[in-house]
Amino acid sequence: MNKLQANLCLICVTLCWSTEVIIFACIPDTVLSFATTAITNAIASVILAACFFKRIKTELRRSSKKLVMRCLLLGVLNCLYNVLFLQGLNYLDVSTGAFTFSMTIVVLPVVLLTMRKKVSKKTWVSVVLALSGIIIALGSNFVNTQLPGLLIMLAGCVVRAMFIVKLNDYAKEHDAVTLSVFISAIVTVISFVIWFILQPETFGAIPWSGTIIASLFIYAYFIIAFTQTLNIFAQKRATAAGATIIYSLEIAFSLIWGAVLPETLVERVIPTPFQIFGALLIVAGSLIEILDFGGKKRSGSDA
């Protein structure tokens, strides 16, 4: 897999992530997000472990202690930024929250520089375009957003940027499936503990139905087991900055789903001209990062 193929895989990952809202629409609001996270990650880790047991066993023999410690760090960072985003969303409306979530693309280059990692000029151009798109799409909402919500979301973006950088580093050293299994298992444990603290009844508090069970299994397999593993696999050849810029495409995909899908699946939201223009700038920023303008000059190094 070369860098272009890895970036195309990341686009597929982002497209899959953008469908989360459709699946979550089938789960009642009374079900805590930590419950959904704990259950779906548990199912995903079991599915992957059962299908790739020998592969995981081989990777553990190669580097068990280092692998587990790294997955523990990734699992903690994953849960931490999700908690911060959930708290930040209490101060923001849905559209503002979704766009501020993408502010990770601004934070990540700074995080890379503090870790003494290079950031290419092409990446800076992509970041400027994507940031401009986010600000234009938010419009007056960006100015009127409550400061506590922005600060919490900013903290979440910093933690998420650290997660992406570390995942990108570790994906180049470890098996993608094994990383995915252990990250899911650790996220399961942490989420379940928080779920138990907030709702001691845990499984007894969920209004079980065929729709909820099906939604949880679809989310576990499609969004976590498949998409998370594909994301880690693509990170072997992609860069942390490039991956973050491509992730911002989720906003554009979400706008499309809200405009074209029936209201039985998602809440119908017709994008404003500013949102459409902002989304186009985000797409332009992603294309600059994805396309290899070096052409044949770089082909040998990507082979």
Side-chain angles (χ1 to χ4, degrees):
M1 174 185 287
N2 58 34
K3 186 177 178 181
L4 177 59
Q5 291 170 333
N7 286 335
L8 291 175
C9 282
L10 288 173
I11 293 177
C12 293
V13 167
T14 306
L15 177 61
C16 292
W17 279 343
S18 69
T19 62
E20 285 180 318
V21 63
I22 302 173
I23 302 174
F24 276 137
C26 301
I27 301 176
D29 294 336
T30 53
V31 180
L32 296 181
S33 58
F34 293 107
T36 303
T37 301
I39 294 171
T40 53
N41 275 275
I43 295 172
S45 60
V46 170
I47 291 174
L48 289 173
C51 294
F52 300 97
F53 177 76
K54 291 184 178 179
R55 182 170 177 169
I56 295 169
K57 186 177 180 181
T58 301
E59 179 66 15
L60 283 174
R61 284 176 178 174
R62 189 177 69 86
S63 58
S64 57
K65 186 177 180 180
K66 181 188 291 187
L67 174 67
V68 172
M69 293 305 295
R70 287 178 169 181
C71 287
L72 179 60
L73 173 61
L74 291 173
V76 170
L77 290 175
N78 183 292
C79 289
L80 181 56
Y81 79 69
N82 276 297
V83 169
L84 288 169
F85 285 147
L86 287 172
Q87 293 301 313
L89 288 174
N90 292 330
Y91 297 88
L92 311 172
D93 57 59
V94 176
S95 61
T96 304
F99 278 100
T100 52
F101 178 78
S102 294
M103 293 292 287
T104 308
I105 64 174
V106 182
V107 174
L108 189 112
V110 178
V111 171
L112 287 172
L113 290 175
T114 59
M115 294 181 174
R116 297 183 179 179
K117 295 178 179 286
K118 293 182 179 180
V119 181
S120 67
K121 293 180 181 179
K122 184 174 71 169
T123 296
W124 283 115
V125 173
S126 298
V127 167
V128 170
L129 281 174
L131 174 61
S132 301
I134 292 171
I135 294 175
I136 290 173
L138 286 175
S140 60
N141 287 340
F142 187 82
V143 178
N144 298 329
T145 299
Q146 296 185 41
L147 183 59
L150 278 179
L151 292 177
I152 294 173
M153 293 296 286
L154 179 60
C157 288
V158 172
V159 177
R160 185 177 181 233
M162 295 171 60
F163 172 83
I164 294 171
V165 172
K166 289 299 181 183
L167 178 63
N168 187 262
D169 289 339
Y170 300 158
K172 292 174 172 56
E173 298 183 35
H174 298 287
D175 174 63
V177 174
T178 307
L179 277 174
S180 186
V181 168
F182 277 90
I183 291 172
S184 294
I186 291 167
V187 170
T188 297
V189 174
I190 297 174
S191 299
F192 183 80
V193 171
I194 299 175
W195 180 22
F196 178 77
I197 293 173
L198 296 177
Q199 196 173 59
E201 303 88 353
T202 59
F203 294 97
I206 297 178
W208 294 104
S209 66
T211 301
I212 292 178
I213 293 173
S215 299
L216 291 173
F217 271 90
I218 291 172
Y219 188 92
Y221 173 76
F222 185 63
I223 300 297
I224 301 178
F226 171 73
T227 306
Q228 177 177 264
T229 305
L230 180 62
N231 178 45
I232 298 173
F233 183 70
Q235 293 278 359
K236 289 182 180 292
R237 295 294 298 175
T239 64
T244 305
I245 292 169
I246 294 172
Y247 293 157
S248 65
L249 282 173
E250 186 174 351
I251 292 295
F253 290 135
S254 298
L255 288 177
I256 294 173
W257 302 145
V260 303
L261 291 179
E263 293 186 3
T264 52
L265 292 178
V266 295
E267 182 181 354
R268 176 62 63 86
V269 178
I270 304 300
T272 65
F274 286 105
Q275 289 177 328
I276 294 174
F277 183 62
L280 289 176
L281 285 177
I282 293 173
V283 172
S286 298
L287 287 176
I288 288 176
E289 180 64 32
I290 294 168
L291 297 178
D292 183 10
F293 296 101
K296 296 180 180 179
K297 187 184 295 184
R298 298 180 185 174
S299 61
S301 61
D302 288 340

